[in-house]
Amino acid sequence: MSLDKKKLSLYALTWPIFVEIFLHMLMGNADTLMLSQYSDDSVAAVGVSNQVLSLIIVMFGFVATGTSILVSQNLGADKITSAREVAVVSLIINLAFGFLLSVLIFAFNGQILSLMDIPQELRSEASTYLTIVGGFSFIQALIMTAGATLRSYEFTKDAMYITIGMNILNVIGNYLFIFGPFGIPVLGVEGVSISTVVSRTIGLIAISFVLVKRIPGIFSVNRLFPVQHIKDLLRIGIPSAGEHLSYNGSQMAITYFIAILGTEALTTKVYAQNLMMFIFLFALAISQGTQIMIGHMIGRKDFQSAYERCIKSLKTSIIISLGMAVIFALFSEPLLRIFTSNDDIIYLGSILIWLTIILEPGRSFNLVVISSLRAAGDVKFPVYVGILSMWGVSVFLSYLLGIVFGLGLIGVWISFIADEWLRGLIMLRRWRSKVWMDKGFIGKASAK
């Protein structure tokens, strides 16, 4: 099952991942775009709620990340049974973890929003969205784990097709509950929440069916809880989650600062970041495809190919991200007018998109190189550097420039630029040092 045998290129792996990520982002933007026709306050409420839910998804992601890397390395080393065992134990762990977090969100969403200190006029709708979508977030945990498994087995198209179906269902549901055709009640944020949960539930059913079909015997393994696999999942997942947790935690802190500036600033941030997601999704797709390839290469001990693959992917990512940032900046005003007619939001949002031209190449370093380091088993170093930079640079400068010096969102974006470039250059130096060559996981598990 190794990539070498199947001769899959980065492009062949990446384009379905790109489409899948694009559609995931489109699902979030569909909520934002449709709600923008309903109320700008609703957009801000959902944006803040999604900041909290992003933090929860990171918690699910630590298992999915470990799954992707371990399955790829085991397949690269032709350890087929071990790969299946990793997939099954990952699904079980994330199901249990997902239920726990879903219950906590459902029970304590009011307290969570109070900690965010969001404006009172947003509190009710934010609570509704967080209760419904967060209360069923265990569904997303299972989808993420199953998707990571399929991609590591190189069935990237299957995950893409399922995401297409989920998006279609979500948009239909949004239309029905926001615009109320055929006498259907207009439910606004509540309707968007219901639509999201229903589309994800159907997506889970579909991806479960595909998993059984594509990987025969996946659930007929002899050991449901092989200790070494669990240890390896935690060794990869916990540090990786630490990095993402730190990032999302820092973003929540920055959102708190922006909330001080008012609802209009929060709304501008949501619209600008929705557009920015379409810029860096190329780098994100390349990083995920690269991670799969490098995982297989590490599994078969082909370290030189792994080293060269990361550098080539990084160059490609930087060029594409820079080009996309320029295009979006040139058309920032008409793009923002899709979401809102507020001239103040459009003016400030356009400035933020222009600053993105500087930001996105730095982000490419982090997405591609950190994914490569993880695939090689070097998972702790990015966390240490990430925590220091995200909080010591991004959060600190956001408050200093945005609040103390009065630069507002422009100061916040400058802090993002400083953080991404500092971390990115440190990660590149780490990759070039090649210390990751002796950190792989293959050979530690006993299953063959």
Side-chain angles (χ1 to χ4, degrees):
M1 285 296 300
S2 70
L3 285 172
D4 183 55
K5 294 175 183 177
K6 296 181 73 173
K7 292 183 171 57
L8 286 186
S9 65
L10 178 67
Y11 174 78
L13 275 173
T14 297
W15 78 261
I17 295 175
F18 167 81
V19 173
E20 183 186 354
I21 297 171
F22 173 79
L23 291 173
H24 271 303
M25 292 180 177
L26 197 61
M27 184 179 288
N29 276 266
D31 291 349
T32 302
L33 179 60
M34 289 178 153
L35 278 173
S36 69
Q37 310 303 309
Y38 180 76
S39 164
D40 277 346
D41 281 358
S42 295
V43 170
V46 170
V48 172
S49 298
N50 276 326
Q51 193 84 62
V52 177
L53 292 175
S54 294
L55 193 62
I56 300 304
I57 288 174
V58 167
M59 303 303 289
F60 302 146
F62 91 81
V63 175
T65 298
T67 303
S68 178
I69 293 168
L70 287 178
V71 170
S72 293
Q73 288 194 9
N74 276 290
L75 291 176
D78 286 328
K79 295 187 175 183
I80 307 303
T81 300
S82 288
R84 289 185 188 136
E85 288 176 349
V86 169
V88 172
V89 75
S90 299
L91 286 166
I92 294 173
I93 291 173
N94 241 2
L95 175 59
F97 194 41
F99 269 122
L100 175 61
L101 289 178
S102 293
V103 170
L104 291 176
I105 296 171
F106 185 83
F108 298 106
N109 72 88
Q111 291 88 330
I112 293 170
L113 291 173
S114 293
L115 288 173
M116 294 290 292
D117 196 27
I118 67 171
Q120 192 61 43
E121 65 266 24
L122 306 181
R123 193 71 60 92
S124 176
E125 288 184 321
S127 178
T128 297
Y129 189 85
L130 198 58
T131 299
I132 297 175
V133 177
F136 288 92
S137 57
F138 68 91
I139 296 172
Q140 185 67 11
L142 291 173
I143 291 175
M144 288 173 65
T145 310
T149 300
L150 284 174
R151 284 189 291 272
S152 296
Y153 272 88
E154 302 157 10
F155 297 120
T156 54
K157 292 181 182 178
D158 293 327
M160 175 189 71
Y161 293 139
I162 291 167
T163 303
I164 290 174
M166 287 171 58
N167 270 270
I168 292 173
L169 291 173
N170 186 61
V171 170
I172 292 173
N174 285 351
Y175 175 76
L176 294 176
F177 289 122
I178 292 175
F179 300 104
F182 315 116
I184 294 173
V186 176
L187 298 179
V189 170
E190 182 182 357
V192 168
S193 307
I194 294 170
S195 176
T196 298
V197 170
V198 170
S199 63
R200 285 179 179 176
T201 301
I202 296 173
L204 175 60
I205 295 170
I207 204 168
S208 299
F209 174 79
V210 172
L211 202 62
V212 172
K213 181 180 178 182
R214 288 297 197 184
I215 311 173
I218 184 172
F219 294 115
S220 59
V221 296
N222 296 323
R223 303 181 300 159
L224 288 181
F225 288 98
V227 176
Q228 188 61 53
H229 293 328
I230 296 174
K231 288 181 178 178
D232 286 345
L233 277 170
L234 295 178
R235 286 181 60 198
I236 298 172
I238 291 178
S240 298
E243 182 210 343
H244 287 295
L245 196 62
S246 175
Y247 177 78
N248 282 274
S250 67
Q251 288 296 303
M252 289 181 70
I254 292 168
T255 299
Y256 177 83
F257 300 153
I258 296 173
I260 297 173
L261 302 173
T263 298
E264 190 172 278
L266 276 172
T267 305
T268 303
K269 173 183 179 289
V270 172
Y271 289 147
Q273 288 193 327
N274 277 333
L275 290 178
M276 286 170 61
M277 286 191 297
F278 288 102
I279 299 173
F280 74 75
L281 72 88
F282 292 92
L284 190 56
I286 290 171
S287 72
Q288 290 191 16
T290 301
Q291 180 174 284
I292 294 170
M293 294 184 76
I294 289 180
H296 282 256
M297 292 169 181
I298 296 296
R300 61 178 184 264
K301 310 297 183 185
D302 188 358
F303 298 118
Q304 186 58 33
S305 293
Y307 177 85
E308 293 172 356
R309 178 68 270 162
C310 173
I311 300 300
K312 289 178 182 177
S313 295
L314 176 60
K315 292 177 181 178
T316 301
S317 178
I318 290 173
I319 292 170
I320 294 176
S321 295
L322 183 60
M324 289 302 300
V326 170
I327 292 173
F328 270 67
L330 290 172
F331 296 96
S332 57
E333 183 174 334
L335 287 171
L336 286 165
R337 287 197 181 277
I338 295 174
F339 297 100
T340 183
S341 58
N342 186 314
D343 288 333
D344 291 334
I345 291 177
I346 292 170
Y347 174 75
L348 182 55
S350 294
I351 294 175
L352 301 182
I353 300 301
W354 276 99
L355 287 174
T356 299
I357 295 175
I358 306 172
L359 188 153
E360 289 306 329
R363 197 199 305 269
S364 290
F365 280 90
N366 287 300
L367 289 171
V368 175
V369 182
I370 289 177
S371 291
S372 299
L373 288 169
R374 281 201 211 106
D378 190 4
V379 293
K380 292 182 180 180
F381 181 79
V383 179
Y384 301 147
V385 174
I387 291 174
L388 289 173
S389 181
M390 292 170 196
W391 292 90
V393 177
S394 189
V395 174
F396 173 72
L397 286 182
S398 288
Y399 182 77
L400 182 66
L401 299 177
I403 306 300
V404 177
F405 290 167
L407 294 178
L409 284 178
I410 294 175
V412 171
W413 251 247
I414 292 172
S415 76
F416 290 164
I417 292 170
D419 168 48
E420 294 287 358
W421 275 98
L422 176 63
R423 281 190 295 129
L425 293 174
I426 292 174
M427 292 304 135
L428 180 60
R429 182 178 179 182
R430 178 73 169 186
W431 184 257
R432 285 178 169 169
S433 73
K434 299 185 179 181
V435 298
W436 44 268
M437 286 187 175
D438 61 350
K439 296 182 181 291
F441 291 88
I442 296 305
K444 298 182 177 70
S446 59
K448 302 294 180 184

